[in-house]
Amino acid sequence: MGVDVFVKHAYFVTVLIIRPHGDGYQLLMLRRAEDSYMGGQWHVVSGGIEPDETAWQAALREMREETGLAPVEFYCLDTTTVFYRPQNDTINIAPMFCAIVCVDAAVTINSEHTAYEWIDINEADSRLLWPGDRQALEEVRTAILGDSPAKQLMRIPIKLWCV
């Protein structure tokens, strides 16, 4: 006897924003407003993909909307998060990205957040809420900041999104 299953999907993106700092790097974390989903939690930039956008376009839009920042380098990560939200009975799929910004880039948070903080990337694991975010940060450390051979293949050229 079979059961008909209808699974709703939602598509999100996650962006780890990194800046150079001294001899190392920092990760930007945002504190969600209390009256929003995950209220009061610290997290990285995330949001939904609109019907007319690619995932990388959504990542850049969410980054701009939530922080006012634009990257000087932009990468897709191999890490993709899949999670279930019982609130709306959806399976959520989230490609992950890394954006490198200038050391002096000014953050302007939107109303979804109440605070932001730059965290040393070597101390950020314990602050990240989700296992997929920690996995993505490790990938940023090794593949992007560690200059692995895959780095150039992961780069999303600026010319794609600046026109």
Side-chain angles (χ1 to χ4, degrees):
M1 179 159 101
V3 176
D4 290 330
V5 177
F6 176 73
V7 179
K8 296 176 277 185
H9 292 84
Y11 298 93
F12 289 86
V13 291
T14 299
V15 186
L16 281 72
I17 301 174
I18 306 292
R19 76 171 183 185
H21 181 74
D23 292 337
Y25 295 91
Q26 293 178 318
L27 170 70
L28 180 65
M29 295 196 65
L30 307 169
R31 187 174 188 272
R32 295 283 296 176
E34 292 293 336
D35 61 348
S36 63
Y37 175 67
M38 295 192 330
Q41 297 295 320
W42 286 90
H43 73 106
V44 294
V45 168
S46 63
I49 301 173
E50 300 294 331
D52 61 337
E53 336 180 86
T54 64
W56 63 266
Q57 289 169 331
L60 291 170
R61 177 185 49 76
E62 288 291 341
M63 181 178 167
R64 184 178 57 252
E65 289 175 1
E66 294 187 19
T67 69
L69 296 172
V72 293
E73 295 179 49
F74 192 58
Y75 300 90
C76 60
L77 299 178
D78 192 48
T79 303
T80 300
T81 298
V82 178
F83 58 97
Y84 174 73
R85 280 186 64 195
Q87 298 89 335
N88 59 2
D89 193 34
T90 57
I91 293 176
N92 300 270
I93 302 165
M96 302 183 93
F97 298 87
C98 172
I100 309 291
V101 298
C102 296
V103 66
D104 59 352
V107 176
T108 305
I109 56 174
N110 66 5
S111 61
E112 295 176 36
H113 306 94
T114 58
Y116 72 90
E117 188 174 349
W118 289 101
I119 309 292
D120 184 287
I121 64 164
N122 295 316
E123 299 169 8
D125 293 275
S126 65
R127 298 279 305 272
L128 290 168
L129 190 59
W130 305 111
D133 293 348
R134 289 188 290 280
Q135 181 181 345
L137 182 58
E138 181 57 27
E139 184 179 351
V140 167
R141 283 190 202 83
T142 58
I144 307 301
L145 303 176
D147 285 328
S148 83
K151 180 178 180 177
Q152 292 309 312
L153 299 172
M154 298 165 76
R155 183 185 303 268
I156 297 175
I158 291 175
K159 67 182 177 181
L160 284 179
W161 48 272
C162 285
V163 291

